[in-house]
Amino acid sequence: MDAEEHSIIMQQVKALESPIFCLKATVKEAKGILGKDVSGFSDPYCLLGIEAKSHEPAHPDHRKRMKAVVKDLIPEDQIHRTQVISQTLSPVWDETFILEFEDVETASFHLDMWDSDTVESVRHKLGELTDLHGLKRIFKDARKDKGQDDFLGNVVLRLKDLPCSDDQWYQLEPRTETYPNRGQCHLQFLLTHKKRATTSSRTQPSYTVHRHLLQQLVSYEILQHQAGSIAWDGELSRHASTVLYLHATQKDLSDFHQVMAQWLAYSKLYQSLEFNSNCLLHQITSIEYQWVQERLRPEQKAELAESFQSLLTYGVSLVRRYRIIFPLSVPRSTERLQSLLRVLVQMCKMKAFHELCTLSPDLPQMVSKALKSGTAEWFHMKKQHLKPMVKSMEENGKALSRLLLEVIGDLQQCQKIWNKFFINTLKLNLFFITYLELESLVAEHVQEQLREVDSSMSKPTAESLFQLYMNLQELYRMKDFLPKREGPLALSSFHQWFKEAVPQWLQKAYTIALERAQRAVQMDQLTPFGEHNKHSTSTVDLSTCYAQIVKTWQQLNWPDPEEAFMIMVKLVEDMCKIALMYCRLIKERAEALSLNERNEGKAANRLCIVVNNIKQLRLLIRKLPLQLDWAQLEQRTGDVIDQQQIQHTLHNQLDSTVSCLDHEVRDVVQALATKLEKGIARHIQELSSSNDTREPEDDQTGHSLPTSSLWEEAPLGPPALPAPASTALPLSPLCPAGCGPPALPNAPLLSLQSIIPLMKFLESELQYLNEHLVHENFKSLLALLWHHTLAVLSAAAGQQGPSTQRYKKLHCALKSLELCFHAEGCGLPLETLHTAAFLSLETHLALCSATSRKLIQKYFSNRIQQQLDTSSEKYGAVTIKALYRPSEQKLRVEVLNAVNLIPLDSNGSSDPFVQLTLEPRHEFPEVVARTTQCKRNELHPLFDEAFDFLIPPEKCRQEGACLLLTVFDYDTLGANDLEGEAFFPLRHLPGLDTDEDQADAGRVPQTRLPLTHPKPTGDEILQLLESRKGDKEAQAFVKLRKQRAKQSKETE
């Protein structure tokens, strides 16, 4: 509006008849007023009115004129009076008066509060007397006129100082300073007018005029915000709010009518102009709070009911088209829809809605129906939009896939974004409604399009159908978000629509993988593709091929268990074909690259890469059951396919392929091992046949064995070997670099020197293979070499006429190779090394390489162990007490008794005695044998004899050191008969490991030793000693033991 137009309208307004100004004054209550009656209370009432012309005081302190009483200033017909509230100091009136005035500049409001007095007798007043103040009031009343009211206070206000609306407590002012604090009065003021001479005021009710004015202002606000591309938040401008407030005030519109006018205006404008529906919530709440149906005229009720129905219909239509009306691409769309739903729900809950709308609709049912129809409309619109230009099965498949993507995207938005708003406001599951509707529409449309599909479809058509199948699968999986429901879905058997296309899908997956594997082999140079890898690039491509086939299986996720099993059989068969084809091609590739190669090292290197590649392929094959989840497939097919059929079909097929790969690996590894086996056999033969004139048996110093770096990357260049004159063995390629050389105990120097050529050979050969074989393949090679080495050593040890020195060299070689092949845990594990053949060979070589005295000690160690393992007393037992005194270096033995001896005389008894010797004799050459007395005709003799032996403690701790107790039956004419013998180990002597002598020998425990008989033949140690014809000590020992064996009651 321009200035001229505005000036014209202002002149028209000024020319109108001036309205009558009014002050709407409400006297609500008072508190803290004076008690004027004898009882201490008052009977207050108020007089109020408008003084047309107020008189300003000449001096600020001169207030008497302003405090004049109402009845002295205002004409009686213009004075208004409240009711009298009896006997109170906090009266409540809540009475409203309309006071007219002409000039707001000169008029003032006056209110006087009085205590109403009635004529009462002195006796009645004395009856109400409560304190001295009451008696004082009686004397005061006696001086004044009968029936005269008491002044309680007044309030005087200039109208020009009042705001348009005011509600507050005012202080009651006194006329004198006798009682300055006279309490407060609660007043409410509203400036208004009547008889406005406008056209609308004359023809329409004030309520209707106010609503039209509100509509104009709201429309203006919305259009202004839309022009500035800003959403209107429902707040009117300050000027518009002032105009509406003044109009409502002047027309004396109630709060309820104002709110109803706002509702009618806002709800109507919402259907034509876009703004935030939250603006309607305030009106709904206010109407609900103030609702009284009788306050409205019939036409107002009809108007309000029509606004409810109109907004409900419009709101539901918006919800039906929420995808278009509230697109997520527009900011705050979710808030707008949520606000609309909240408005509809709150409106339908209103008492006014239920009372005025006779047929109250079911809002959730209405919205559910609208959502279904809106979803169907959206689907058909998308279907028409994505309709292909060229009608072919291939294009139809692509169009269906695009349509499915739109449907899936819409459902995802429903589930993740929109659904919570409908559940929170309407308890309505939008995703459930939308999914069932779209799922049914999709199933019908896809089935209609796929009726022409057959097994002769083209490859592009099959590809487009595979994408369609995956999209349908994703759509069907979204059913998991649905609440529990009964009955199948329309898409329950969607996979059956694609049965004709499955063979082509599988063939395509196989063809792509096969071609990629062939290209990978053709491009492979059979060199490690990384610093830490020992296989070539083709294995990476092959792994990708298998991963793609596994992904195809996972994407299919075929629901029918029997058909899924057949698909799995086909996929496994294809992958096994690819594996065998790759194995053949990679070997041919290695041959082709090595055809004109003169460097045998490079050819062997390629062969190692081939082995590593096949081993890597084997790992890929072994992972297939886990990657393809055979366990789940077996569980699914348990009811339709026998477990044995699955085992026979899948597992056997896989095992057969793995066996083929293992055979290929073994062939190549065996070829590599054969080269080394010949060298190992040659060096061991040279080792065993070499003559050494020296035989340093007493050289017991430990010497270092080779360490190795076989599990580390081998250094470039030739390995560093020791000087020929050095006694250290060469570094073998088995231990990590930097570890110290393990020591071989009790290895003679000459034996260590003799195995240096063998260790040099192993180092030079194995280091190269370690560089080019993966860990597992290299360990397989080591295992082959270890078994072959044991066989060669066993053959060398079994040759006739070996010398002790030769056995020492072979034993040293065996222990050296054991440490070398184990390499402190970096090589073969001890479980692999310690086979039965190894343990037997080690025992045999250890015995054969030992001295005669060592063998004798070993013999007694074995007899001691047999003694400890014996619990049977079939030959009887002997009981002794033994104690060693370190201070005297004396062994004291008490022979107590023998029991249960076998009768060896013809009279059925025996004449036993005990012989005590310390064994082995070479350890105790100066200790003579001792014997007990002979007990005639006793099978349970009591000896109770003590013997002392002077021996140093270190001799007692030697291997095999023992006290041999031999029980004989004394014969006068012939040799004494053997009752039995017992071996008491000296290393377990009481007192041997203490520094002080035991004071009380009586505390030494008794030891009961079962008597034993030696076996007549078969002891390996005795046989070895007997074979040493030139060793007199060995021969003497064997002769003695043979004599005992002849008397033995033991049988083979």
Side-chain angles (χ1 to χ4, degrees):
M1 180 183 298
D2 55 23
E4 183 178 359
E5 184 180 1
H6 182 266
S7 177
I8 293 173
I9 294 175
M10 286 297 294
Q11 292 298 326
Q12 292 175 354
V13 172
K14 291 179 179 180
L16 296 175
E17 180 183 355
S18 299
I20 299 174
F21 298 105
C22 304
L23 176 66
K24 184 178 181 180
T26 301
V27 182
K28 290 191 171 184
E29 57 182 323
K31 62 182 179 180
I33 64 176
L34 297 178
K36 291 291 187 177
D37 294 342
V38 175
S39 62
F41 295 99
S42 294
D43 303 318
Y45 68 93
C46 296
L47 297 177
L48 62 155
I50 297 292
E51 181 185 6
K53 187 175 182 181
S54 61
H55 302 277
E56 296 290 340
H59 190 271
D61 296 332
H62 186 247
R63 300 169 60 188
K64 186 176 180 180
R65 188 64 179 170
M66 290 293 292
K67 293 180 180 179
V69 296
V70 171
K71 55 189 173 184
D72 295 336
L73 295 175
I74 302 173
E76 186 176 354
D77 59 341
Q78 297 179 15
I79 296 175
H80 300 268
R81 179 186 175 113
T82 67
Q83 295 180 355
V84 177
I85 308 300
S86 300
Q87 294 299 296
T88 181
L89 299 180
S90 300
V92 177
W93 291 284
D94 203 14
E95 298 183 35
T96 302
F97 306 93
I98 303 297
L99 310 177
E100 298 181 358
F101 62 92
E102 295 181 357
D103 189 358
V104 71
E105 294 293 331
T106 59
S108 60
F109 169 80
H110 287 257
L111 178 142
D112 291 346
M113 188 178 296
W114 298 84
D115 170 41
S116 176
D117 278 345
T118 56
V119 179
E120 295 177 344
S121 63
V122 175
R123 178 178 297 179
H124 184 272
K125 290 181 179 181
L126 288 174
E128 295 179 353
L129 185 64
T130 59
D131 53 18
L132 293 176
H133 292 284
L135 183 61
K136 188 177 181 180
R137 293 190 192 100
I138 292 177
F139 294 143
K140 186 177 180 181
D141 289 344
R143 293 196 301 268
K144 70 177 184 179
D145 298 335
K146 293 181 179 180
Q148 182 178 353
D149 295 340
D150 294 319
F151 181 76
L152 297 178
N154 69 353
V155 176
V156 180
L157 301 170
R158 290 180 297 187
L159 296 188
K160 66 178 182 180
D161 297 334
L162 285 176
C164 185
S165 177
D166 190 28
D167 186 350
Q168 62 176 304
W169 288 85
Y170 292 92
Q171 195 72 31
L172 291 172
E173 300 292 341
R175 286 189 296 182
T176 65
E177 299 301 329
T178 306
Y179 296 102
N181 186 10
R182 291 176 173 264
Q184 294 176 302
C185 184
H186 187 187
L187 301 175
Q188 182 180 16
F189 298 108
L190 182 66
L191 292 172
T192 181
H193 64 80
K194 56 185 179 180
K195 296 184 180 180
R196 183 76 178 177
T198 61
T199 305
S200 298
S201 299
R202 290 193 298 269
T203 58
Q204 297 178 350
S206 300
Y207 159 76
T208 306
V209 174
H210 186 78
R211 180 164 61 84
H212 290 164
L213 177 61
L214 177 63
Q215 281 186 218
Q216 292 295 326
L217 294 174
V218 172
S219 299
Y220 174 78
E221 292 284 353
I222 295 173
L223 293 175
Q224 286 294 107
H225 281 79
Q226 288 180 347
S229 301
I230 302 174
W232 185 52
D233 58 1
E235 292 292 333
L236 292 171
S237 65
R238 182 168 55 85
H239 301 295
S241 299
T242 302
V243 170
L244 287 173
Y245 176 76
L246 291 174
H247 183 267
T249 302
Q250 293 168 359
K251 294 301 182 179
D252 197 19
L253 290 178
S254 66
D255 292 340
F256 176 74
H257 283 86
Q258 291 181 53
V259 170
M260 200 177 84
Q262 291 176 8
W263 164 257
L264 294 173
Y266 279 57
S267 62
K268 183 175 182 180
L269 289 173
Y270 181 75
Q271 301 174 40
S272 57
L273 299 174
E274 182 179 358
F275 62 92
N276 193 341
S277 57
N278 274 333
C279 305
L280 301 172
L281 287 175
H282 174 68
Q283 286 82 38
I284 290 176
T285 305
S286 299
I287 292 175
E288 178 70 8
Y289 181 72
Q290 305 179 43
W291 174 251
V292 178
Q293 188 176 169
E294 289 72 18
R295 298 167 73 175
L296 299 179
R297 296 189 297 274
E299 61 272 16
Q300 291 177 334
K301 295 179 183 179
E303 190 176 26
L304 187 58
E306 194 277 333
S307 71
F308 289 153
Q309 293 289 355
S310 177
L311 182 63
L312 179 62
T313 303
Y314 179 73
V316 171
S317 70
L318 294 184
V319 174
R320 181 172 58 87
R321 297 176 293 122
Y322 76 91
R323 297 175 178 86
I324 302 172
I325 303 300
F326 306 101
L328 290 176
S329 56
V330 176
R332 304 185 68 181
S333 292
T334 56
E335 299 177 15
R336 290 166 50 217
L337 176 61
Q338 186 180 12
S339 174
L340 172 61
L341 294 175
R342 193 181 297 116
V343 166
L344 295 178
V345 170
Q346 295 300 323
M347 182 183 71
C348 291
K349 290 181 178 179
M350 295 171 63
K351 290 183 289 186
F353 182 87
H354 288 283
E355 292 180 12
L356 298 181
C357 301
T358 54
L359 297 176
S360 298
D362 185 348
L363 180 60
Q365 185 178 358
M366 286 182 64
V367 173
S368 177
K369 185 177 180 181
L371 290 172
K372 289 181 180 179
S373 61
T375 300
E377 292 174 5
W378 176 85
F379 178 79
H380 292 300
M381 178 190 70
K382 288 293 181 181
K383 183 176 69 173
Q384 189 66 27
H385 177 70
L386 296 173
K387 190 175 182 180
M389 300 295 294
V390 179
K391 292 186 177 180
S392 66
M393 195 61 238
E394 180 183 352
E395 293 299 322
N396 283 346
K398 293 179 180 178
L400 287 173
S401 295
R402 291 192 293 269
L403 179 60
L404 262 292
L405 290 177
E406 292 284 348
V407 169
I408 292 170
D410 182 72
L411 287 172
Q412 288 174 345
Q413 290 182 359
C414 286
Q415 195 263 331
K416 296 178 181 178
I417 300 175
W418 300 115
N419 197 43
K420 57 186 177 183
F421 302 134
F422 285 87
I423 290 178
N424 293 338
T425 54
L426 293 165
K427 301 295 184 289
L428 206 62
N429 194 320
L430 171 66
F431 178 78
F432 179 81
I433 297 170
T434 307
Y435 183 86
L436 293 183
E437 187 68 21
L438 287 177
E439 182 260 354
S440 176
L441 293 170
V442 166
E444 180 182 358
H445 181 56
V446 172
Q447 278 186 289
E448 181 181 351
Q449 295 296 318
L450 295 183
R451 286 186 182 136
E452 301 177 2
V453 174
D454 54 28
S455 58
S456 61
M457 70 186 76
S458 63
K459 290 184 179 180
T461 300
E463 292 178 10
S464 65
L465 290 183
F466 185 71
Q467 186 60 46
L468 175 61
Y469 173 82
M470 288 195 297
N471 291 340
L472 280 172
Q473 194 177 61
E474 184 178 359
L475 175 61
Y476 185 68
R477 277 199 299 266
M478 297 182 76
K479 74 181 186 304
D480 297 337
F481 297 108
L482 295 176
K484 293 183 179 179
R485 58 180 300 276
E486 297 180 358
L489 295 172
L491 288 176
S492 296
S493 302
F494 76 93
H495 62 282
Q496 297 293 341
W497 310 339
F498 299 89
K499 287 182 64 174
E500 299 293 338
V502 171
Q504 292 205 31
W505 295 345
L506 300 182
Q507 184 61 33
K508 180 184 176 184
Y510 170 70
T511 303
I512 292 176
L514 183 66
E515 293 175 352
R516 181 166 185 173
Q518 291 172 341
R519 289 195 302 271
V521 173
Q522 292 172 2
M523 301 296 293
D524 199 343
Q525 296 301 314
L526 292 180
T527 56
F529 72 91
E531 182 181 355
H532 300 291
N533 293 299
K534 295 186 179 181
H535 43 80
S536 59
T537 56
S538 59
T539 57
V540 180
D541 293 293
L542 191 62
S543 176
T544 305
C545 295
Y546 278 9
Q548 188 59 46
I549 294 178
V550 171
K551 183 179 179 182
T552 301
W553 163 256
Q554 294 171 345
Q555 289 174 332
L556 278 174
N557 193 21
W558 200 257
D560 185 88
E562 190 170 2
E563 295 172 358
F565 175 73
M566 300 306 298
I567 293 174
M568 176 64 74
V569 172
K570 172 63 175 170
L571 290 177
V572 173
E573 180 182 352
D574 290 344
M575 286 189 279
C576 290
K577 287 180 181 179
I578 293 173
L580 297 178
M581 180 276 302
Y582 173 83
C583 188
R584 176 177 55 83
L585 291 181
I586 200 68
K587 290 171 63 179
E588 293 175 356
R589 178 64 175 169
E591 294 175 2
L593 292 175
S594 303
L595 187 61
N596 299 322
E597 183 66 62
R598 296 182 179 179
N599 190 332
E600 294 184 0
K602 290 185 178 179
N605 182 21
R606 294 192 185 97
L607 198 57
C608 291
I609 296 295
V610 169
V611 175
N612 296 336
N613 285 1
I614 297 176
K615 206 69 174 181
Q616 184 69 15
L617 174 59
R618 185 184 185 278
L619 293 177
L620 294 177
I621 292 292
R622 279 302 185 193
K623 291 179 181 178
L624 289 180
L626 182 61
Q627 293 176 340
L628 295 172
D629 202 355
W630 283 8
Q632 184 187 20
L633 180 64
E634 292 176 6
Q635 186 178 2
R636 287 176 54 197
T637 58
D639 298 333
V640 294
I641 299 177
D642 186 59
Q643 186 71 24
Q644 293 183 352
Q645 183 179 357
I646 297 177
Q647 180 71 29
H648 178 75
T649 307
L650 292 179
H651 291 275
N652 289 358
Q653 187 177 24
L654 208 62
D655 293 341
S656 176
T657 302
V658 170
S659 298
C660 293
L661 297 180
D662 289 341
H663 179 73
E664 295 291 342
V665 171
R666 284 195 300 270
D667 286 348
V668 180
V669 172
Q670 185 64 56
L672 294 172
T674 302
K675 174 185 174 183
L676 296 179
E677 288 171 358
K678 295 178 181 179
I680 292 173
R682 185 180 72 252
H683 283 83
I684 291 176
Q685 186 62 33
E686 293 174 356
L687 171 69
S688 63
S689 61
S690 62
N691 292 322
D692 295 311
T693 58
R694 297 174 58 192
E695 189 173 343
E697 294 183 359
D698 297 331
D699 185 1
Q700 307 299 330
T701 305
H703 298 280
S704 296
L705 276 181
T707 61
S708 135
S709 56
L710 195 56
W711 302 118
E712 296 287 332
E713 290 296 331
L716 297 176
L721 298 179
S726 174
T727 59
L729 292 178
L731 292 175
S732 132
L734 291 180
C735 286
C739 67
L744 180 65
N746 303 326
L749 179 61
L750 290 178
S751 298
L752 289 175
Q753 289 177 336
S754 63
I755 67 171
I756 287 177
L758 173 61
M759 301 308 297
K760 283 183 178 180
F761 171 77
L762 286 176
E763 179 182 20
S764 62
E765 295 295 333
L766 294 181
Q767 182 177 7
Y768 171 78
L769 295 174
N770 178 37
E771 292 177 348
H772 299 92
L773 286 177
V774 296
H775 179 74
E776 186 177 356
N777 293 336
F778 185 68
K779 288 182 70 173
S780 299
L781 176 63
L782 289 179
L784 291 174
L785 293 177
W786 178 248
H787 292 300
H788 173 75
T789 302
L790 291 179
V792 173
L793 286 172
S794 297
Q799 294 179 2
Q800 295 295 327
S803 65
T804 304
Q805 183 62 24
R806 182 181 177 188
Y807 279 124
K808 288 181 179 180
K809 289 188 292 183
L810 292 176
H811 186 247
C812 181
L814 178 64
K815 300 302 291 183
S816 300
L817 290 171
E818 178 196 7
L819 292 174
C820 180
F821 275 74
H822 179 57
E824 298 183 358
C826 299
L828 293 177
L830 293 176
E831 301 83 46
T832 304
L833 294 172
H834 293 173
T835 61
F838 167 81
L839 296 176
S840 175
L841 179 61
E842 181 189 30
T843 302
H844 179 69
L845 291 177
L847 292 176
C848 292
S849 60
T851 64
S852 297
R853 290 186 173 182
K854 286 291 184 182
L855 289 177
I856 294 172
Q857 288 179 317
K858 181 66 176 176
Y859 174 83
F860 281 109
S861 294
N862 293 344
R863 293 305 303 270
I864 291 172
Q865 188 60 46
Q866 292 174 12
Q867 180 74 53
L868 295 175
D869 296 338
T870 300
S871 59
S872 172
E873 296 184 357
K874 66 179 181 178
Y875 301 113
V878 61
T879 303
I880 66 169
K881 292 173 66 174
L883 174 65
Y884 187 80
R885 298 182 183 276
S887 61
E888 303 175 9
Q889 293 192 355
K890 180 185 295 185
L891 168 62
R892 182 175 182 80
V893 180
E894 295 182 24
V895 181
L896 301 179
N897 59 57
V899 294
N900 301 325
L901 299 178
I902 58 177
L904 296 177
D905 293 342
S906 58
N907 60 1
S909 184
S910 292
D911 304 321
F913 70 93
V914 181
Q915 183 186 72
L916 294 83
T917 57
L918 295 179
E919 300 289 349
R921 296 288 178 86
H922 63 265
E923 293 291 345
F924 307 97
E926 298 179 357
V927 179
V928 297
R930 312 289 291 276
T931 59
T932 66
Q933 294 180 0
C934 179
K935 302 296 182 180
R936 298 290 182 177
N937 298 319
E938 279 288 345
L939 296 180
H940 306 280
L942 178 63
F943 298 106
D944 200 13
E945 297 181 41
F947 304 93
D948 292 330
F949 299 90
L950 291 175
I951 54 175
E954 61 272 11
K955 290 293 185 178
C956 296
R957 297 188 180 95
Q958 291 291 333
E959 180 186 6
C962 64
L963 171 65
L964 174 58
L965 297 107
T966 307
V967 182
F968 289 104
D969 172 39
Y970 177 77
D971 283 341
T972 306
L973 298 178
N976 297 326
D977 297 325
L978 178 67
E979 286 281 354
E981 56 186 1
F983 298 83
F984 180 76
L986 297 183
R987 67 174 56 183
H988 300 311
L989 276 173
L992 179 63
D993 297 324
T994 59
D995 296 333
E996 298 180 359
D997 297 340
Q998 292 187 0
D1000 187 4
R1003 294 184 180 179
V1004 177
Q1006 296 181 4
T1007 302
R1008 183 172 175 133
L1009 300 171
L1011 296 177
T1012 62
H1013 282 212
K1015 294 182 179 180
T1017 58
D1019 190 290
E1020 184 180 7
I1021 295 178
L1022 294 179
Q1023 291 175 357
L1024 284 173
L1025 290 172
E1026 187 177 11
S1027 66
R1028 299 178 180 182
K1029 300 299 183 181
D1031 191 334
K1032 294 181 179 180
E1033 187 176 4
Q1035 296 302 314
F1037 179 78
V1038 171
K1039 181 180 179 181
L1040 177 62
R1041 298 317 302 177
K1042 279 188 174 183
Q1043 291 175 355
R1044 293 285 175 89
K1046 288 179 181 180
Q1047 295 179 314
S1048 174
K1049 304 297 183 182
E1050 289 288 326
T1051 58
E1052 290 296 333

